[in-house]
Amino acid sequence: MIEIIPAIDIIDGKCVRLSQGNYDSKKVYNENPVEVAKEFEANGVRRLHVVDLDGAASHHVVNYRVLERIAVHTSLVVDFGGGVKSDEDLKIAFESGAQMVTGGSIAVKDPELFCHWLEVYGSEKIILGADVKDYKIAVNGWKDESACELFPFLENYMGKGVRKVICTDISCDGMLSGPSIDLYKEMLAKFPDLYLMASGGVSKVDDIVALDEAGVPGVIFGKALYEGHITLKDLRIFL
């Protein structure tokens, strides 16, 4: 059964969503992300994906206090990303209660440091973020496209011990237009041992069913929940 991972994206300490990573499209859904996390937990959710969008934009962790409060007030297993660019950022994330940390831009720009984290903390705690646009990896809060092609990028890091990957198709993110199932099938065909968490585009329960049937291990989504296209009650069949 596919793992259900709701997302909480944070700007100015508030729970927000963007469309295709565009900060100008920001919509605030709740002033208090802890309330949102507690409601998820009360409905049987066990995992949470927290993104520090301020951190992603400013290249260092910013909203760690929110992470800390979620960790203190819930027992959710949290993975945290956004602005984790140094040993200090990583330390702050883990000390603030993250059980896992996602590195995206850092894996492109400073592979040596990312591999060091992988060695020190292990593949259970360090997740590779692969944010994709037309099969190329995007960096810096998706504002820039890198020269890295998706499949060689994955092959390289799996060879270095990566086992968990969050893959967001940027063209789908926040658009409620359905996930990139063909892309995920292609990834799993090439890397069957990959613990792939699909992110972006989920608009209804049928999308989650389709990802599950495609063999995708985990799904991350937010806007569909916040906009009421999926209810927490709908998710009970997966929990």
Side-chain angles (χ1 to χ4, degrees), residues 51-62 80-86 89-90 102 105:
V51 182
D52 180 356
L53 289 173
D54 290 317
S58 57
H59 309 297
H60 62 89
V61 171
V62 175
F80 179 83
V84 183
K85 299 284 190 285
S86 66
D89 287 323
L90 192 69
T102 303
S105 300

Side-chain angles (χ1 to χ4, degrees), residues 108-125:
V108 174
K109 296 179 162 187
D110 194 345
E112 206 173 295
L113 182 59
F114 185 81
C115 289
H116 172 67
W117 292 351
L118 207 50
E119 277 172 35
V120 173
Y121 294 95
S123 59
E124 281 303 303
K125 285 183 168 289

Side-chain angles (χ1 to χ4, degrees), residues 30-81:
N30 196 305
E31 301 273 330
N32 185 356
V34 179
E35 275 178 11
V36 180
K38 284 167 93 166
E39 191 182 356
F40 289 155
E41 186 176 42
N43 282 274
V45 169
R46 291 282 161 263
R47 274 276 277 112
L48 187 63
H49 175 66
V50 175
V51 182
D52 180 356
L53 289 173
D54 290 317
S58 57
H59 309 297
H60 62 89
V61 171
V62 175
N63 287 291
Y64 62 93
R65 293 283 183 217
V66 177
L67 169 63
E68 203 167 57
R69 290 201 300 276
I70 290 171
V72 166
H73 293 288
T74 74
S75 56
L76 293 166
V77 174
V78 180
D79 80 77
F80 179 83

Side-chain angles (χ1 to χ4, degrees), residues 70-196:
I70 290 171
V72 166
H73 293 288
T74 74
S75 56
L76 293 166
V77 174
V78 180
D79 80 77
F80 179 83
V84 183
K85 299 284 190 285
S86 66
D87 287 332
E88 183 59 25
D89 287 323
L90 192 69
K91 193 173 167 220
I92 288 168
F94 282 131
E95 286 180 354
S96 299
Q99 278 100 327
M100 292 168 258
V101 169
T102 303
S105 300
I106 191 75
V108 174
K109 296 179 162 187
D110 194 345
E112 206 173 295
L113 182 59
F114 185 81
C115 289
H116 172 67
W117 292 351
L118 207 50
E119 277 172 35
V120 173
Y121 294 95
S123 59
E124 281 303 303
K125 285 183 168 289
I126 301 295
I127 301 171
L128 179 65
D131 299 328
V132 183
K133 197 169 186 178
D134 301 325
Y135 286 88
K136 281 201 165 63
I137 302 295
V139 293
N140 296 337
W142 303 352
K143 290 194 283 290
D144 304 315
E145 198 178 271
S146 76
C148 289
E149 297 280 348
L150 174 63
F151 286 105
F153 180 74
L154 290 175
E155 193 162 17
N156 173 48
Y157 274 117
M158 286 196 73
K160 291 180 163 69
V162 161
R163 289 295 167 263
K164 293 179 177 179
V165 171
I166 294 172
C167 182
T168 305
D169 183 340
I170 294 166
S171 64
C172 298
D173 190 70
M175 302 309 288
L176 298 175
S177 56
S180 297
I181 289 173
D182 290 342
L183 171 68
Y184 301 131
K185 280 181 175 172
E186 206 180 330
M187 288 170 73
L188 289 169
K190 196 160 174 56
F191 307 107
D193 297 333
L194 188 63
Y195 194 91
L196 173 63

